[in-house]
Amino acid sequence: MLNEFDQLSAGDLIMASAIMLESNFRRTVLLMCEHSDEGSMGFILNRPLEVKVREALSGFEDLDTVLHMGGPVQPDTVHYLHTRGDVVEGSHEVIPGVYWGGDKEQLSSLMESGMVDPSEIRFYLGYAGWSSGQLEEEFSEGSWYTTGASRDIVFGKDYERMWGRVVRSKGGDYCYAANSPEIPGMN
């Protein structure tokens, strides 16, 4: 029988398991944007920051939406997921209708002109990354679950409930995990 890691691919979600206590990833949901024998990378979907995009990124001074913590790797870089691969050159489709990256100056112009709405894009500070074999080892330790991604989850705004909702959607014993206390041993 294949384990969840063997089935993982770019475009999937990984969720920290109920036993994951590492502060960067506890109760997180990530979209995997790259996954190969060389390593993996993705963005945490449910960690909004108290910083606005306009405060952190030049060219987007009018954008009053929140910046999200994408992960602990290179926290001085900004990345973005969006739904407008049809007009943003250089975008990479991660799942149908969800794109990663592309021409930042073009995106800024498209947003300024109103062709791209702020609800169609989400900005991330840093990313989550794993070297070859690292994520596989974490899966074997029981640190992660995986499931398919959807546009609704990627751009969902119920951040506090996202982890429980996505884990619960796997059914069976995952429902128990989704209802477990955040700190094991606490009721």
Side-chain angles (χ1 to χ4, degrees):
M1 181 171 147
L2 293 175
N3 67 30
E4 288 190 75
F5 179 81
D6 292 334
Q7 300 172 40
L8 182 65
S9 63
D12 284 342
L13 295 176
I14 64 170
M15 298 83 64
S17 73
I19 64 168
M20 168 77 80
L21 298 179
E22 203 277 318
S23 63
N24 285 314
F25 295 111
R26 185 175 52 236
R27 303 269 168 145
T28 56
V29 177
L30 293 90
L31 176 66
M32 297 304 296
C33 293
E34 290 183 350
H35 178 68
S36 70
D37 291 339
E38 289 80 46
S40 305
M41 73 83 58
F43 301 105
I44 298 172
L45 301 176
N46 60 333
R47 289 270 171 92
L49 299 170
E50 293 184 19
V51 176
K52 302 290 184 178
V53 172
R54 64 179 160 74
E55 298 169 326
L57 189 58
S58 64
F60 296 88
E61 287 79 8
D62 296 330
L63 191 54
D64 200 34
T65 59
V66 297
L67 184 62
H68 294 77
M69 174 51 69
V73 181
Q74 295 185 349
D76 57 340
T77 60
V78 176
H79 307 269
Y80 46 93
L81 295 171
H82 57 90
T83 62
R84 297 304 308 268
D86 59 326
V87 294
V88 179
E89 294 174 10
S91 299
H92 173 74
E93 190 170 37
V94 180
I95 61 172
V98 176
Y99 300 83
W100 166 35
D103 187 308
K104 185 177 93 167
E105 286 76 28
Q106 182 187 30
L107 177 63
S108 176
S109 295
L110 290 167
M111 292 187 78
E112 194 172 300
S113 72
M115 285 189 66
V116 173
D117 188 79
S119 66
E120 298 175 299
I121 187 161
R122 189 154 297 160
F123 289 88
Y124 298 90
L125 193 60
Y127 65 92
W130 297 265
S131 60
S132 179
Q134 184 181 6
L135 187 56
E136 182 175 17
E137 183 177 323
E138 291 179 17
F139 263 89
S140 72
E141 294 168 349
S143 296
W144 299 100
Y145 312 131
T146 185
T147 193
S150 72
R151 183 175 165 170
D152 289 341
I153 293 170
V154 173
F155 290 97
K157 295 192 182 203
D158 191 5
Y159 307 116
E160 289 185 22
R161 292 190 179 122
M162 183 183 289
W163 179 85
R165 196 174 72 250
V166 175
V167 171
R168 199 173 294 108
S169 74
K170 290 180 63 70
D173 289 342
Y174 292 99
C175 293
Y176 296 113
N179 292 325
S180 67
E182 190 164 343
I183 300 172
M186 299 294 288
N187 289 346

